[in-house]
Short mmCIF file of all heavy atoms in Angstrom, two decimals:
data_model
loop_
_atom_site.label_atom_id
_atom_site.label_comp_id
_atom_site.label_asym_id
_atom_site.label_seq_id
_atom_site.Cartn_x
_atom_site.Cartn_y
_atom_site.Cartn_z
N GLN X 13 35.24 -56.94 -51.01
CA GLN X 13 34.22 -57.91 -50.53
C GLN X 13 32.92 -57.53 -51.23
O GLN X 13 32.61 -56.45 -51.28
CB GLN X 13 34.08 -57.86 -49.05
CG GLN X 13 33.05 -58.77 -48.57
CD GLN X 13 32.98 -58.84 -47.05
OE1 GLN X 13 33.74 -58.28 -46.41
NE2 GLN X 13 31.77 -59.33 -46.65
N GLU X 19 22.55 -56.43 -53.59
CA GLU X 19 21.61 -56.27 -54.67
C GLU X 19 20.19 -56.54 -54.25
O GLU X 19 19.15 -56.01 -54.78
CB GLU X 19 21.91 -57.28 -55.84
CG GLU X 19 20.94 -57.26 -56.97
CD GLU X 19 21.13 -58.39 -57.99
OE1 GLU X 19 22.23 -59.04 -58.01
OE2 GLU X 19 20.23 -58.64 -58.80
N LEU X 54 30.14 -60.43 -60.91
CA LEU X 54 29.33 -60.37 -59.68
C LEU X 54 28.36 -59.25 -59.56
O LEU X 54 27.72 -59.03 -58.54
CB LEU X 54 30.17 -60.55 -58.42
CG LEU X 54 30.82 -61.93 -58.29
CD1 LEU X 54 31.78 -61.83 -57.08
CD2 LEU X 54 29.75 -62.93 -58.06
N SER X 79 25.77 -78.31 -65.55
CA SER X 79 24.68 -77.28 -65.72
C SER X 79 23.33 -77.74 -64.94
O SER X 79 22.40 -77.01 -65.03
CB SER X 79 24.32 -77.28 -67.29
OG SER X 79 23.75 -78.62 -67.73
N GLY X 85 12.33 -76.82 -51.10
CA GLY X 85 11.81 -75.63 -50.40
C GLY X 85 10.78 -76.05 -49.39
O GLY X 85 10.36 -77.16 -49.36
N GLY X 96 21.54 -75.86 -69.20
CA GLY X 96 21.91 -76.08 -70.53
C GLY X 96 20.76 -75.91 -71.52
O GLY X 96 20.95 -75.91 -72.69
N ALA X 100 13.67 -70.41 -73.94
CA ALA X 100 12.55 -70.45 -74.95
C ALA X 100 11.31 -69.84 -74.17
O ALA X 100 11.40 -69.57 -73.09
CB ALA X 100 12.32 -71.92 -75.39
N LEU X 103 6.36 -72.76 -70.98
CA LEU X 103 5.10 -73.57 -71.09
C LEU X 103 4.10 -73.02 -70.16
O LEU X 103 4.46 -72.79 -69.02
CB LEU X 103 5.39 -75.07 -70.95
CG LEU X 103 4.24 -76.08 -71.06
CD1 LEU X 103 3.81 -76.15 -72.52
CD2 LEU X 103 4.69 -77.33 -70.52
N ILE X 104 2.90 -72.83 -70.62
CA ILE X 104 1.84 -72.43 -69.80
C ILE X 104 0.87 -73.55 -69.46
O ILE X 104 0.32 -74.24 -70.27
CB ILE X 104 0.98 -71.20 -70.46
CG1 ILE X 104 1.79 -70.23 -70.98
CG2 ILE X 104 -0.14 -70.73 -69.43
CD1 ILE X 104 2.64 -69.35 -69.88
N PRO X 111 9.21 -72.76 -66.59
CA PRO X 111 10.36 -72.38 -67.35
C PRO X 111 10.97 -73.59 -68.04
O PRO X 111 10.80 -74.75 -67.50
CB PRO X 111 11.47 -71.90 -66.25
CG PRO X 111 10.55 -71.80 -65.02
CD PRO X 111 9.38 -72.58 -65.16
N GLU X 123 8.18 -80.89 -45.04
CA GLU X 123 9.34 -80.11 -44.34
C GLU X 123 10.65 -80.65 -44.87
O GLU X 123 11.42 -81.16 -44.01
CB GLU X 123 9.19 -80.14 -42.83
CG GLU X 123 7.99 -79.31 -42.37
CD GLU X 123 7.91 -79.20 -40.90
OE1 GLU X 123 9.00 -78.99 -40.36
OE2 GLU X 123 6.85 -79.21 -40.40
N ASP X 143 9.36 -86.10 -42.02
CA ASP X 143 8.69 -87.47 -41.88
C ASP X 143 9.46 -88.66 -42.49
O ASP X 143 9.11 -89.72 -42.15
CB ASP X 143 7.35 -87.37 -42.53
CG ASP X 143 7.32 -87.00 -43.95
OD1 ASP X 143 8.37 -86.64 -44.55
OD2 ASP X 143 6.28 -87.19 -44.74
#
Side-chain angles (χ1 to χ4, degrees):
Q13 179 178 344
E19 180 185 345
L54 290 173
S79 67
L103 180 65
I104 307 294
E123 296 188 36
D143 60 350

